[in-house]
Amino acid sequence: MRADVIIVGSGAAGLTAALALAERLKVLVLAKGELTSGSTAWAQGGIAAVLDAGDTFEDHIRDTMVAGAGLNRQQTVEFVVERAPHAIDRLIGLGVPFNTAMDDSGGDALHLTREGGHSHRRIVHVDDATGWAVQAALLAAVEANPNITLMPGQACIDLITGRHELRYSGSGRVWGVYALDEATGRVEAHTASATILATGGAGRVYQFSTAPRGATGDGIAMAWRAGARVSNMEMMQFHPTCLYNLDVKNFLVTEAVRGEGGRLINPRTGKRFMPFYDDRLELAPRDVVARAIDSEIKRFGLDYVHLDISHMPADFVRSHFPNIHEKLLGLGIDMTREPIPVVPAQHYTCGGIVTDLHGHTDLPGLYAAGECAESGLHGANRLASNSLLECLVFGEAAASDILARWGEFEAPPPVCAWDESRVSNSDEEVIIKQNWTEIRRFMWNYVGIVRSTKRLERAQHRIRMLFEEVEDYYGQFRVTTDLIELRNLLQSADLIVRSALKRHESRGLHYTLDYPEALPQARDTVLVPGMGRSKGR
Ligand code: FAD
Ligand code: SIN
């Protein structure tokens, strides 16, 4: 199909961009699986914005930079924080029913909850299922817009670049994507003058992750293969409180539980342990809390720690966390009366495709927004609830830039069709499953919360061997979504490990036993393509 602009991804970043662009342009949104299959629909806690009279932009900026251990780009932090109230207004305009509470003068005001690393109450939310409400409102607006075509069930494989032009022009531009139609198994070229990657994170590279199944780093890997730089991929965020349950492996228990009084308890000693680690207690930034839990688990040989909010009135707990309460009841845990077993799990990809304040990547015609991008907002550790905000601000920023410069964009040229002449149907799907499991396991064990050079080198060794196997398989067989994801998962793992090996210090989310101190100056880890191993078709 041909459009003015192609957006890959139907989460908060992609749909925000689509709505803004559709004022004047024809937009095609492609999404793997269902339209609600990204992380956006799963977000619980809320969206950070300065909306309280006692709060200031300066405080939100400072909290973001403190959490990010100084690796953030200050200009980006200011850009995003200052646009937050407007982004929330837009969502309210689309009908997102944020919770309200009575203010001092007896009127209705947005209810603001609190999360780790925030010096004020500043998180707007819809109960404990904010993401679902945001996703639903954006989707309803997009579905009603005649300038937007939504195509779910499209697993994008690679970007179409200058080298795929039928008559090579040397323009070096990105002209769209090759995508697998998951229903028919056919690969189509979709072309456009501009392409926005809004493909979310790479959380599924880890064995335990709160992220949905499709968070396999596809956009990051596609941009890297096409020649864009990526940065700070070692900064993988682990959420401190994922439910510990042998059957339900990735259910998040929102940080707002701690924001509203929840305490972390060592089940062996029965003692609250955060006072031993940080003055900010349970509301220290995530990297600090996750490391504290990891340390308790390792020191005491525990399977999990307890998160306890049962000292608060039962009505308060039920009304603030209705969905979590119900989910846990179904698993036999009544959080109004007993503690919740929790463990840290991968949660957010702070690094990604290098972008500027307009969402530009290194490649002409290619933009990136949301979790797949490294805009400079999060630095070495994302402040809670700054992520949906980043999607809203940069979805809009990328769209504004395209609209403002539309006269400069050329129409896409004819491009090569996808070449399947040398491949056949796979007869060994087991290889995909085996490799997928192997990557996720060694990434968890060797590239987790606490790292060492030796463990990182072990991971790198395995990645090198798997590259050969996966590329060989990719070169021989027809693509499937599983194969596309495996290839991207492996590429993401490689970028994470290479970045981690390059950082000779501990900062934010990257903690290594070999370099336990932070260096005096914070520097981004920027990987430049050219040494990537993927061949592509
Ligand atoms: P996503 O919403 O992840 O969407 C990605 C899209 O890309 C999907 O449509 C997917 O199908 C598509 N896609 C991916 N690969 C391909 C491909 N190859 N081809 C075609 N399409 C593709 N952040 C907050 O700020 N507040 C919170 O309270 C919060 N809670 C969270 C709770 C959970 C459980 C999780 C996992 C995350 C949470 N986050 C939260 C983080 C936040 O939800 C995400 O960072 C954000 O939603 C990412 O949005 P996105 O638009 O970048 O990508
Ligand atoms: C949460 O609700 O704890 C997640 C918030 C976030 O990831 O920003």
Side-chain angles (χ1 to χ4, degrees):
M1 212 179 141
R2 164 103 172 255
D4 291 332
V5 182
I6 286 177
I7 298 174
V8 187
S10 58
L15 296 188
T16 300
L19 281 177
L21 286 163
E23 286 171 18
R24 281 180 22 218
L25 301 175
K26 295 278 183 206
V27 183
L28 171 63
V29 178
L30 301 168
K32 192 167 66 171
E34 292 176 15
L35 294 169
T36 53
S37 66
S39 294
T40 296
W42 290 25
Q44 292 184 352
I47 309 174
V50 172
L51 296 164
D52 184 50
D55 198 2
T56 63
F57 286 153
E58 289 71 30
D59 284 350
H60 190 180
I61 291 165
R62 196 197 52 235
D63 292 347
T64 301
M65 306 268 307
V66 168
L71 193 66
N72 329 58
R73 261 171 266 154
Q74 177 140 1
Q75 202 192 10
T76 310
V77 180
E78 290 169 2
F79 182 82
V80 174
V81 165
E82 287 165 12
R83 281 160 182 74
H86 174 64
I88 302 302
D89 276 349
R90 269 189 287 132
L91 288 181
I92 293 172
L94 292 177
V96 177
F98 289 116
N99 288 35
T100 54
M102 203 185 286
D103 65 13
D104 294 343
S105 58
D108 254 1
L110 288 172
H111 178 260
L112 302 174
T113 190
R114 198 165 174 179
E115 291 182 333
H118 287 276
S119 55
H120 287 268
R121 282 186 170 268
R122 77 165 63 101
I123 320 293
V124 292
H125 63 106
V126 182
D127 296 332
D128 51 356
T130 310
W132 186 255
V134 169
Q135 178 82 62
L138 287 169
L139 210 46
V142 163
E143 279 166 346
N145 193 311
N147 278 344
I148 304 174
T149 305
L150 285 165
M151 283 181 73
Q154 302 292 318
C156 296
I157 306 166
D158 265 319
L159 292 164
I160 299 174
T161 61
R163 76 186 178 94
H164 300 106
E165 288 170 6
L166 221 46
R167 289 180 55 199
Y168 182 71
S169 73
S171 77
R173 291 189 73 87
V174 170
W175 297 117
V177 284
Y178 290 110
L180 168 75
D181 184 320
E182 294 175 315
T184 64
R186 288 183 49 148
V187 178
E188 299 283 347
H190 299 279
T191 56
S193 302
T195 304
I196 303 179
L197 290 172
T199 45
R204 282 296 176 131
V205 87
Y206 285 95
Q207 188 177 6
F208 301 105
S209 168
T210 63
R213 164 74 171 68
T216 46
D218 297 3
I220 299 170
M222 280 193 273
W224 170 259
R225 284 194 293 267
R229 289 171 305 156
V230 300
S231 60
N232 298 342
M233 284 298 289
E234 73 278 32
M235 298 305 177
M236 273 287 169
Q237 183 170 77
F238 291 80
H239 196 292
T241 58
C242 180
L243 177 70
Y244 174 81
N245 183 288
L246 295 182
D247 298 321
V248 182
K249 294 227 166 52
N250 64 347
F251 184 69
L252 180 74
V253 183
T254 176
E255 187 146 336
V257 170
R258 279 175 283 131
E260 298 296 343
R263 297 168 185 160
L264 288 165
I265 310 283
N266 180 321
R268 179 79 48 79
T269 63
K271 286 209 173 84
R272 189 177 181 186
F273 56 82
M274 278 314 294
F276 302 122
Y277 293 92
D278 197 286
D279 291 345
R280 293 162 291 184
L281 307 172
E282 281 82 0
L283 291 182
R286 275 183 195 166
D287 55 332
V288 176
V289 182
R291 268 198 299 278
I293 297 176
D294 187 64
S295 156
E296 291 290 300
I297 286 177
K298 291 203 170 116
R299 227 153 56 88
F300 288 85
L302 309 170
D303 287 330
Y304 52 82
V305 297
H306 275 146
L307 172 61
D308 191 10
I309 194 166
S310 63
H311 52 280
M312 300 295 279
D315 278 353
F316 173 90
V317 174
R318 271 194 294 267
S319 66
H320 275 73
F321 308 108
N323 296 292
I324 296 174
H325 175 253
E326 201 182 308
K327 172 86 179 177
L328 294 179
L329 269 188
L331 296 168
I333 303 164
D334 182 351
M335 70 190 282
T336 66
R337 297 151 60 101
E338 59 191 317
I340 309 163
V342 291
V343 283
Q346 189 287 339
H347 181 62
Y348 185 81
T349 309
C350 292
I353 308 158
V354 176
T355 52
D356 66 11
L357 291 184
H358 307 287
H360 296 142
T361 69
D362 291 331
L363 307 179
L366 183 68
Y367 293 73
E371 193 168 339
C372 66
E374 203 282 292
S375 66
L377 175 65
H378 309 304
N381 176 33
R382 174 176 68 99
L383 183 65
S385 287
N386 264 355
S387 166
L388 285 173
L389 176 59
E390 181 187 36
C391 294
L392 302 171
V393 170
F394 279 105
E396 174 89 13
S400 300
D401 188 77
I402 294 170
L403 289 172
R405 301 196 308 110
W406 187 242
E408 299 164 28
F409 285 85
E410 288 167 43
V415 299
C416 303
W418 185 251
D419 180 8
E420 283 198 325
S421 58
R422 283 163 294 169
V423 292
S424 59
N425 286 333
S426 162
D427 54 358
E428 279 197 289
E429 298 271 335
V430 65
I431 292 181
I432 297 184
K433 192 162 177 225
Q434 164 62 30
N435 287 346
W436 180 296
T437 309
E438 194 177 333
I439 297 168
R440 299 185 68 209
R441 213 168 262 162
F442 71 66
M443 287 300 286
W444 181 258
N445 288 329
Y446 295 160
V447 198
I449 297 173
V450 176
R451 300 165 179 175
S452 73
T453 303
K454 201 166 190 170
R455 283 184 219 157
L456 292 174
E457 283 169 352
R458 280 188 208 284
Q460 192 169 50
H461 179 64
R462 279 168 175 71
I463 288 169
R464 282 197 179 128
M465 292 190 320
L466 286 173
F467 256 123
E468 270 183 40
E469 203 166 296
V470 172
E471 283 306 313
D472 186 48
Y473 192 93
Y474 180 78
Q476 282 187 52
F477 298 113
R478 272 202 183 88
V479 288
T480 60
T481 302
D482 284 348
L483 176 55
I484 294 166
E485 291 183 337
L486 171 65
R487 184 171 175 241
N488 294 329
L489 207 67
L490 183 60
Q491 184 63 74
S492 301
D494 178 52
L495 296 171
I496 296 165
V497 172
R498 282 161 67 179
S499 302
L501 279 166
K502 277 185 90 162
R503 188 170 288 282
H504 291 175
E505 63 166 350
S506 289
R507 182 181 298 275
L509 296 160
H510 177 72
Y511 183 80
T512 162
L513 298 170
D514 293 293
Y515 304 98
E517 304 299 328
L519 292 172
Q521 217 186 340
R523 287 223 170 89
D524 289 327
T525 310
V526 183
L527 297 181
V528 182
M531 288 144 77
R533 297 183 188 83
S534 296
K535 296 191 291 272
R537 273 197 190 151

